[in-house]
Amino acid sequence: MNSPWHFGNTTVRNPLRIREGLIVLKNTLNGNIIGKQQERLFADELERAGVIEIANKQRDYSDMGRKWRSCLSQLGFITHKFKRDLKSGEKDPAIFEIINEHPEYGLTGYAYEITPSGHRMINAETVQEQQECMLRALLAYEIPSVIEPNNGDDSFKPFIFILQVLQKLSSFENPEGLSQVEMGIVQIYRDHDSIDEVVEKILEFRAERNAVTGRVAKRRVDNALLERIAASVDLQRDSLRDYADVNFRYPRLTGLVSLKGKRLILSDKKLPTINALIAGERQIIGKDNGKAYLTRLWKGAELPTDNVITAREEIFRFRKLLMDSGMTETLIPVIPDTHDIAELNQVRIRLEVLYQQVLEKNYAAEQDEVEQVKEIIAYLKKIDKQPIDEETYEFDIDDEPAYLEWAVWRAFLAINQLVNEPHEARRFKVDQDFFPLGCAPGGGPDMIFEFEDYVLVVEVTLTSSSRQEAAEGEPVRRHVAKEKAKVAAATGKPVYGLFLARSIDNNTAETFRVGVWYTGDEPDFINIVPITLKQFILIMEKFLTNRFDNKVFRRVLDNCLIPRNAHAPAWKKEIQKVVDIFLA
């Protein structure tokens, strides 16, 4: 049986961080991360930028920088080191073979220097642009290759292989997609002609799993499969599961693969591109043609939409989708009368962004459904370390801060009656399935909800104790004050701040109780209500049975602000009383 393959590595498990890592590299050690000292410096820079967290600095953590470097090199976002004894500051002769044929790549000959593909990812600001960068990288990626010469015998394309499996599974009468455990089967095959065999193994596993009832019994079947595969390739079961995890994550960042429940499926809106790729992306360069492989990998693979005819077809298709959704034609970008592929693809991506916003409005409208509200509460409870019905809500949260922002955003979408658009209410990015792609960036609040009569600025945190006030006291007040000034100039609506945390430190409460922000010598009195995540969950549980609106929620905020003259501990108790009365 083949050894399992995987994208990236299990240290860079979240591909959403790749762009952040590249930005750090560009600003610090671009082309200068050879040797343990430089690898450790790279890890330090990644931590300083908040990309990673180094738990133990007493040990040699240079491996963190090395594994990040390996991932970026493997996917073609940076060059590779080919000369074995190359030292920092020296240039690699093998890279000059590419430079001589492609001076437009802008490379200087240093190992681990950002490539055109890497620069494209750095410059990708929208989710759609980032997805396209990852798609080009994964399409170009082959194993084995000149970069990974020992990773198997005959070269094949892992991403295309996953698309082929998903396409075959989608042809069944009741398609289920691909589970993470089933990915354990997929990742031990390396032959594009073995799709039928892979699917047969998956169906055999499903039959075995469906023959038992109960979550515990099904999990036992899952573990037994992984144990069998792991033993056959001399791996630990957990390592195999980790490989399946990264193979689940990376394809989703291409935009071609969606998540339905806990299973991967092909994205309906991308089927023309998927079908074209599966039909045409079978040409393997192979590990013996290193120059051709690096040329493609470092630039990024071509896409069907790099063709003028295909790009125009996609523009027509997305324009029709937007018009069918009811959007006024005057708001839809026109089809440019040009054969400039860059200009055409700019319009295509703008149309994709607009259509995603249409889908997001539909998603927002669904959030007040009973099952959606129950799921929102389940996510909030899991983040708050409260027990949930694991049988019904079997989900993993790998980025608690991001998922907290996302769950609170969904909660206010459920309460609804927003004046601003759903995508305008959040400052964090979401993927094609509206899952969070990370936290809101600094420099502003996490969320801003505009209602008919007021504006609500929401900040959430998982920090606690005195660290909470140090981390949140000044930024939250500044964000609310800034939004208040902006809203006063535009609409004159009152602005409230809502601060959510697992627990509210007295120092944090005192800062918000005083509620003053100075612009120069002028004080501005701002209204910020700190409540615990547990209190907010109880409020949302009441929403399940008694659908209050945003005006009722405003009254709760006003009632919490009335007793703010009390000192922080007493004010927190008064806030609890307000919540108790509301829940009664």
Side-chain angles (χ1 to χ4, degrees):
M1 188 174 288
N2 293 315
S3 60
W5 49 265
H6 60 86
F7 301 109
N9 58 56
T10 55
T11 295
V12 193
R13 188 168 299 197
N14 187 349
L16 305 171
R17 292 295 175 90
I18 285 177
R19 179 173 180 267
E20 300 169 28
L22 285 168
I23 291 172
V24 170
L25 182 61
K26 178 184 178 183
N27 295 332
T28 56
L29 297 164
N30 187 21
N32 187 22
I33 43 176
I34 296 176
K36 274 196 173 186
Q37 181 180 349
Q38 298 306 105
E39 292 162 1
R40 189 164 54 251
L41 283 174
F42 186 34
D44 286 333
E45 294 294 346
L46 290 169
E47 185 186 45
R48 190 173 292 115
V51 179
I52 65 172
E53 183 176 337
I54 303 172
N56 180 11
K57 287 200 170 184
Q58 303 306 310
R59 71 171 185 87
D60 177 13
Y61 54 88
S62 61
D63 61 315
M64 299 280 285
R66 183 166 60 255
K67 288 176 180 177
W68 265 83
R69 184 188 69 193
S70 172
C71 173
L72 298 178
S73 169
Q74 177 200 87
L75 296 178
F77 294 123
I78 62 175
T79 58
H80 190 63
K81 180 173 81 71
F82 299 98
K83 186 180 177 184
R84 187 176 295 275
D85 59 349
L86 194 72
K87 293 180 175 59
S88 186
E90 295 180 349
K91 297 187 177 183
D92 195 320
I95 298 175
F96 278 97
E97 294 185 25
I98 308 299
I99 293 174
N100 291 336
E101 291 190 11
H102 296 279
E104 72 277 11
Y105 282 13
L107 298 172
T108 60
Y110 290 110
Y112 310 126
E113 178 183 17
I114 297 173
T115 63
S117 181
H119 283 296
R120 186 188 295 117
M121 179 64 89
I122 288 171
N123 296 328
E125 295 184 358
T126 68
V127 171
Q128 286 73 17
E129 289 171 321
Q130 291 175 36
Q131 289 174 337
E132 201 159 282
C133 290
M134 182 58 75
L135 175 58
R136 290 181 188 275
L138 294 192
L139 284 174
Y141 178 59
E142 295 179 11
I143 49 175
S145 70
V146 64
I147 291 177
E148 300 176 273
N150 300 319
N151 194 349
D153 297 320
D154 297 326
S155 294
F156 93 119
K157 297 187 172 186
F159 179 62
I160 290 294
F161 191 67
I162 289 174
L163 292 182
Q164 288 176 296
V165 171
L166 289 173
Q167 185 186 58
K168 183 73 174 181
L169 290 172
S170 70
S171 67
F172 298 149
E173 186 175 347
N174 296 305
E176 297 181 26
L178 186 71
S179 74
Q180 191 172 117
V181 172
E182 291 165 356
M183 182 66 80
I185 298 172
V186 176
Q187 67 196 24
I188 58 173
Y189 283 84
R190 294 169 177 259
D191 183 353
H192 288 281
D193 292 326
S194 63
I195 299 301
D196 288 341
E197 183 180 343
V198 173
V199 171
E200 183 180 347
K201 294 291 184 186
I202 290 172
L203 295 180
E204 288 174 3
F205 164 71
R206 288 181 182 177
E208 182 182 358
R209 197 174 193 271
N210 292 337
V212 301
T213 56
R215 184 165 170 262
V216 173
K218 289 182 183 295
R219 182 163 290 180
R220 193 178 295 122
V221 174
D222 293 346
N223 289 336
L225 171 71
L226 295 176
E227 289 280 9
R228 289 197 300 271
I229 296 174
S232 68
V233 295
D234 197 25
L235 267 182
Q236 295 295 316
R237 184 186 72 191
D238 287 347
S239 296
L240 188 72
R241 192 184 289 274
D242 287 343
Y243 292 174
D245 182 46
V246 296
N247 287 335
F248 225 64
R249 293 169 184 262
Y250 278 67
R252 287 192 60 216
L253 195 55
T254 66
L256 302 193
V257 178
S258 289
L259 197 61
K260 184 178 182 181
K262 297 191 70 174
R263 291 176 171 271
L264 291 184
I265 61 170
L266 297 177
S267 173
D268 287 342
K269 65 182 179 183
K270 292 287 190 176
L271 284 178
T273 298
I274 293 167
N275 293 334
L277 288 173
I278 292 175
E281 270 288 339
R282 294 290 297 277
Q283 185 177 356
I284 308 294
I285 292 176
K287 67 179 180 180
D288 295 329
N289 195 346
K291 190 192 300 184
Y293 179 67
L294 296 175
T295 298
R296 189 178 198 227
L297 185 71
W298 291 351
K299 180 184 178 184
E302 291 188 353
L303 301 179
T305 48
D306 291 337
N307 175 279
V308 170
I309 294 174
T310 305
R312 294 181 74 87
E313 287 174 351
E314 283 294 275
I315 289 172
F316 275 110
R317 188 169 71 88
F318 276 101
R319 276 182 57 85
K320 184 175 187 307
L321 287 170
L322 287 167
M323 286 188 285
D324 289 347
S325 73
M327 181 175 286
T328 305
E329 188 171 1
T330 55
L331 299 177
I332 304 173
V334 298
I335 303 172
D337 185 18
T338 180
H339 284 76
D340 185 317
I341 193 63
E343 187 177 344
L344 287 170
N345 277 325
Q346 279 184 336
V347 173
R348 176 182 58 79
I349 289 175
R350 283 174 59 199
L351 290 167
E352 286 191 35
V353 171
L354 283 175
Y355 186 59
Q356 184 70 6
Q357 290 172 3
V358 168
L359 297 179
E360 187 167 342
K361 290 181 75 170
N362 297 338
Y363 174 81
E366 296 168 355
Q367 296 310 299
D368 69 346
E369 296 173 1
V370 170
E371 289 307 314
Q372 296 294 331
V373 177
K374 286 182 177 179
E375 184 182 87
I376 292 166
I377 292 169
Y379 271 103
L380 291 170
K381 282 186 172 181
K382 187 153 187 173
I383 293 169
D384 198 38
K385 310 304 181 187
Q386 297 183 33
I388 64 171
D389 180 0
E390 298 281 357
E391 193 78 42
T392 304
Y393 302 105
E394 189 182 357
F395 46 66
D396 299 317
I397 298 177
D398 57 356
D399 187 345
E400 283 192 337
Y403 271 81
L404 176 56
E405 293 179 10
W406 173 74
V408 172
W409 171 67
R410 290 180 63 191
F412 281 101
L413 294 181
I415 295 172
N416 212 335
Q417 299 160 321
L418 291 177
V419 173
N420 56 344
E421 298 290 342
H423 71 273
E424 295 171 337
R426 57 173 172 81
R427 292 188 65 249
F428 57 88
K429 292 180 179 179
V430 296
D431 66 13
Q432 66 274 15
D433 305 311
F434 309 108
F435 285 101
L437 290 175
C439 293
D446 298 331
M447 289 155 274
I448 303 172
F449 300 97
E450 182 179 355
F451 300 109
E452 183 181 355
D453 300 322
Y454 71 106
V455 172
L456 182 63
V457 175
V458 180
E459 300 271 13
V460 303
T461 186
L462 292 176
T463 58
S464 58
S465 70
S466 59
R467 289 178 55 249
Q468 188 182 80
E469 199 282 329
E472 305 290 345
E474 185 275 336
V476 172
R477 286 182 297 130
R478 173 164 43 87
H479 296 161
V480 175
K482 186 176 180 180
E483 192 63 25
K484 180 181 176 183
K486 177 182 172 184
V487 171
T491 65
K493 294 179 182 180
V495 174
Y496 294 79
L498 176 66
F499 180 78
L500 280 170
R502 284 182 184 141
S503 62
I504 308 294
D505 181 71
N506 283 332
N507 295 290
T508 308
E510 181 67 13
T511 297
F512 297 153
R513 184 190 71 80
V514 175
V516 176
W517 178 261
Y518 279 89
T519 303
D521 293 333
E522 293 298 317
D524 186 12
F525 294 92
I526 50 181
N527 295 318
I528 302 174
V529 177
I531 71 172
T532 65
L533 194 47
K534 180 179 180 181
Q535 290 167 337
F536 186 70
I537 290 167
L538 291 171
I539 289 171
M540 289 308 298
E541 286 182 327
K542 175 158 185 174
F543 182 75
L544 267 176
T545 56
N546 187 352
R547 295 306 179 97
F548 57 84
D549 60 18
N550 68 84
K551 294 181 180 179
V552 172
F553 190 80
R554 180 184 177 183
R555 286 200 293 272
V556 173
L557 297 175
D558 284 330
N559 290 337
C560 289
L561 290 165
I562 290 171
R564 69 194 289 185
N565 289 333
H567 289 303
W571 186 36
K572 286 164 59 178
K573 290 178 182 177
E574 292 299 321
I575 290 174
Q576 181 62 57
K577 288 180 183 177
V578 171
V579 173
D580 290 340
I581 291 170
F582 176 73
L583 297 174

